Amino acid sequence: MKIKGLRWWIIGLIMLITIINYLDRGTLNYMWVTNIEYTLTDALHPERKENQAVYVAETGSYELCNTAGKEKRVDAARITVKEKDGSTLIVHKEGIAYDLGLISTELSAEEAARQAKDMLGTITIFFMIAYGISQLVSGKMYDRIGTRKGFLVSVLLWGTADALTSLSRGLVSLTGFRMMLGLGEAGPWPGTTKSNAEWFPQKERALAQGLFGAAASLGSIFAPVIILMLYIAFGWKVTFVIVGGLGLLWLIPWLILNKKGPKEHPWITEEERSYILNGQPEIQMTNDRGKSWGELLANRKNWSVILGRFFLDPIWWMFVTYLPLYLADVFNLNIKEVAFSAWVPYVGAMIGSISGGWFSGYLIRNGKTVDYARKAAMILGGIIIIPSIIAAVFSSSVGMAVVFMAFVLGGFQFVMTNIQTIPSDLHSGKSVGSLAGLGGASAVLGTILAILFAQYITSWGLLFSLLAALVPLSLGSIFLTIGKIEPIK
């Protein structure tokens, strides 16, 4: 049996698991704190579809009844009242943080919001520590055991971790399961860079990397809608189990289709095999020994990936971590409004990821050098990011804010797609995953420092505005260290 375009099937499966990856990592952020609206009525009627609330004057509290007919009494001090479409709505903050008792009900609304932001940031820091360790280990692991087995290990670890998060009983267990998730989830980043170096000629690698980045954006687009709809229907515990199980199911087609690399795969056509291998200049290099971390760090060119990602990646992670809280706090969106607003910025990210890869590939196909193409794409993406961040911060409506955020993340992915391709531009197969892993680890360190810094900033506007300064720092560090983008002899 022969499969035409087998390399596209391989990247297609990687795109699918990347979408699932972002569903898994989004579970906590979107279910952490939610604004649930109840319609104020004279008496509770659980059989009615909408959530309902009744004010009890004697106790100064509200009786809340959800769509499942479950009732609870909440002190009036924890309730926000607003008018919408002629009805009086009671807004109650719920979610994992409140269900596990991590946020005291005695706190004011402002203090509770600050505590929710800081606690989510702290959990994310521990997630990122595990994620960074995994970037280093995964890069070496994928270089040693190959991408087929590498993805197997990563997906088994993170899928199981997300499902087990349903058993969380407090901050310690919740953080532990998120760290386990981070250990698994980092693998596809160096793994995909290595897989694309194996399965694609050099002129198509940026496009393949762009498709991978687009899948991350697709996962972020689907995450708020899928996760919050599951949360509304089943609660957060069942949602963790369902989303965690998706990756485990993905392993079946992956192990069947990805038998070997293009040199030896029994299902690849001879035409495609020749097209791939003849388009890989690094395959002619006689010294194919994988370089150690010390050897990689000793060459200044490799620092372009390490420093470039250290400064740029925090932009992405600040949006992934805090966007749901930002929309709920600044624009007072309820859980459904967050679900149908938070996906918009990631549409821009998806477009930027694909177009960033296509753009540098287009320049190469039209006679430009790899050096010129990658640098031109990164500069163009940077030009898009900075004014878009400022415009998003000063937007007065949620619609305008999320549209400008789409340009921010679109520009980010336009740049990042080309940064992530640099390891395969500089090295042969056995060192690609290792350098990509070092870059991923430095990105994690930059993100941890950014989240720690964010805990000292109380203004959302100031926090996001400061992200614009990271763009020139990232591009400047790349251009100062890499020189000409070409294979390292």
Side-chain angles (χ1 to χ4, degrees):
M1 180 177 70
K2 300 293 183 181
I3 299 177
K4 291 185 177 180
L6 184 59
R7 66 192 188 281
W8 300 109
W9 285 91
I10 297 296
I11 191 63
L13 280 175
I14 290 176
M15 290 174 67
L16 178 59
I17 196 57
T18 306
I19 292 172
I20 295 171
N21 184 298
Y22 265 82
L23 291 179
D24 282 297
R25 74 178 58 186
T27 44
L28 180 66
N29 299 344
Y30 283 105
M31 298 189 293
W32 180 242
V33 173
T34 60
N35 287 338
I36 306 296
E37 292 182 351
Y38 296 80
T39 303
L40 186 62
T41 60
D42 294 329
L44 294 177
H45 301 282
E47 70 277 6
R48 294 178 62 184
K49 293 183 179 180
E50 67 270 18
N51 292 349
Q52 296 179 68
V54 171
Y55 181 64
V56 183
E58 293 82 2
T59 59
S61 62
Y62 287 90
E63 292 284 351
L64 306 180
C65 180
N66 64 20
T67 53
K70 295 182 179 180
E71 298 183 14
K72 56 187 167 185
R73 178 170 293 185
V74 179
D75 190 272
R78 293 185 55 204
I79 292 295
T80 301
V81 181
K82 70 177 187 179
E83 301 292 330
K84 183 178 179 182
D85 300 330
S87 299
T88 301
L89 300 180
I90 304 303
V91 183
H92 181 229
K93 289 192 178 295
E94 302 176 12
I96 296 172
Y98 287 97
D99 286 352
L100 293 181
L102 301 178
I103 299 178
S104 172
T105 58
E106 304 299 322
L107 297 175
S108 65
E110 293 77 13
E111 182 61 22
R114 186 196 65 77
Q115 192 174 94
K117 169 177 166 286
D118 291 349
M119 195 174 296
L120 179 61
T122 300
I123 295 173
T124 302
I125 286 172
F126 281 98
F127 167 85
M128 295 301 297
I129 290 172
Y131 192 89
I133 293 171
S134 181
Q135 284 277 4
L136 292 171
V137 175
S138 297
K140 283 290 184 182
M141 179 185 73
Y142 278 73
D143 280 338
R144 184 178 296 275
I145 69 176
T147 55
R148 183 177 190 266
K149 293 180 180 178
F151 272 94
L152 172 64
V153 173
S154 296
V155 176
L156 274 176
L157 185 58
W158 97 56
T160 303
D162 206 45
L164 289 176
T165 309
S166 62
L167 303 177
S168 297
R169 293 294 180 267
L171 185 61
V172 175
S173 57
L174 181 62
T175 303
F177 288 130
R178 292 303 283 186
M179 291 185 73
M180 182 179 172
L181 182 78
L183 287 173
E185 282 209 324
W189 269 254
T192 299
T193 301
K194 180 175 177 62
S195 179
N196 289 342
E198 295 172 349
W199 278 96
F200 287 87
Q202 187 178 46
K203 64 183 178 182
E204 289 183 349
R205 285 177 190 164
L207 177 58
Q209 199 70 35
L211 291 172
F212 167 66
S217 302
L218 270 176
S220 299
I221 291 171
F222 295 149
V225 178
I226 293 176
I227 292 170
L228 292 179
M229 292 303 101
L230 287 173
Y231 172 77
I232 291 172
F234 304 110
W236 60 270
K237 293 182 180 180
V238 175
T239 300
F240 275 117
V241 174
I242 293 174
V243 177
L246 294 176
L248 304 181
L249 292 175
W250 173 90
L251 287 171
I252 298 173
W254 173 256
L255 294 175
I256 292 174
L257 190 64
N258 191 14
K259 296 179 179 297
K260 292 181 178 294
K263 291 182 182 179
E264 302 174 337
H265 202 294
W267 295 349
I268 192 172
T269 65
E270 289 302 321
E271 180 183 4
E272 185 177 16
R273 190 197 319 272
S274 176
Y275 175 74
I276 293 171
L277 299 181
N278 289 337
Q280 297 178 338
E282 71 277 6
I283 205 172
Q284 306 301 325
M285 297 173 65
T286 56
N287 180 17
D288 198 34
R289 178 182 62 86
K291 297 180 178 64
S292 68
W293 288 335
E295 290 174 303
L296 291 172
L297 294 173
N299 191 303
R300 189 181 69 174
K301 284 181 176 290
N302 295 321
W303 281 92
S304 61
V305 178
I306 297 169
L307 293 176
R309 294 200 61 185
F310 174 83
F311 288 115
L312 197 67
D313 267 73
I315 295 176
W316 177 265
W317 281 100
M318 295 298 277
F319 276 89
V320 170
T321 303
Y322 291 124
L323 182 59
L325 278 179
Y326 175 81
L327 294 176
D329 286 349
V330 175
F331 297 102
N332 199 30
L333 301 188
N334 64 39
I335 185 171
K336 293 183 179 179
E337 290 168 338
V338 169
F340 290 99
S341 299
W343 61 269
V344 175
Y346 298 103
V347 173
M350 180 181 65
I351 295 171
S353 187
I354 295 175
S355 59
W358 172 87
F359 180 73
S360 60
Y362 170 81
L363 294 177
I364 293 171
R365 289 191 297 272
N366 283 272
K368 299 296 184 181
T369 64
V370 172
D371 178 68
Y372 179 94
R374 301 282 190 252
K375 290 177 179 176
M378 287 186 279
I379 291 172
L380 179 57
I383 292 173
I384 295 172
I385 297 173
I386 297 175
S388 299
I389 287 180
I390 305 303
V393 167
F394 287 99
S395 295
S396 58
S397 69
V398 64
M400 292 302 297
V402 295
V403 167
F404 283 120
M405 288 178 184
F407 280 95
V408 173
L409 296 187
F412 170 89
Q413 287 290 4
F414 205 97
V415 178
M416 186 54 65
T417 293
N418 287 276
I419 294 178
Q420 290 178 330
T421 308
I422 291 176
S424 62
D425 292 330
L426 300 180
H427 295 281
S428 60
K430 290 186 178 180
S431 298
V432 171
S434 297
L435 178 56
L438 285 172
S442 71
V444 168
L445 177 59
T447 301
I448 289 173
L449 294 176
I451 292 175
L452 286 172
F453 183 71
Q455 294 183 359
Y456 294 96
I457 300 178
T458 57
S459 166
W460 284 111
L462 178 59
L463 176 59
F464 281 100
S465 295
L466 291 174
L467 296 178
L470 297 175
V471 177
L473 289 173
S474 176
L475 296 182
S477 64
I478 292 172
F479 294 160
L480 287 173
T481 55
I482 198 166
K484 183 179 181 181
I485 300 178
E486 60 183 359
I488 297 174
K489 300 296 188 294

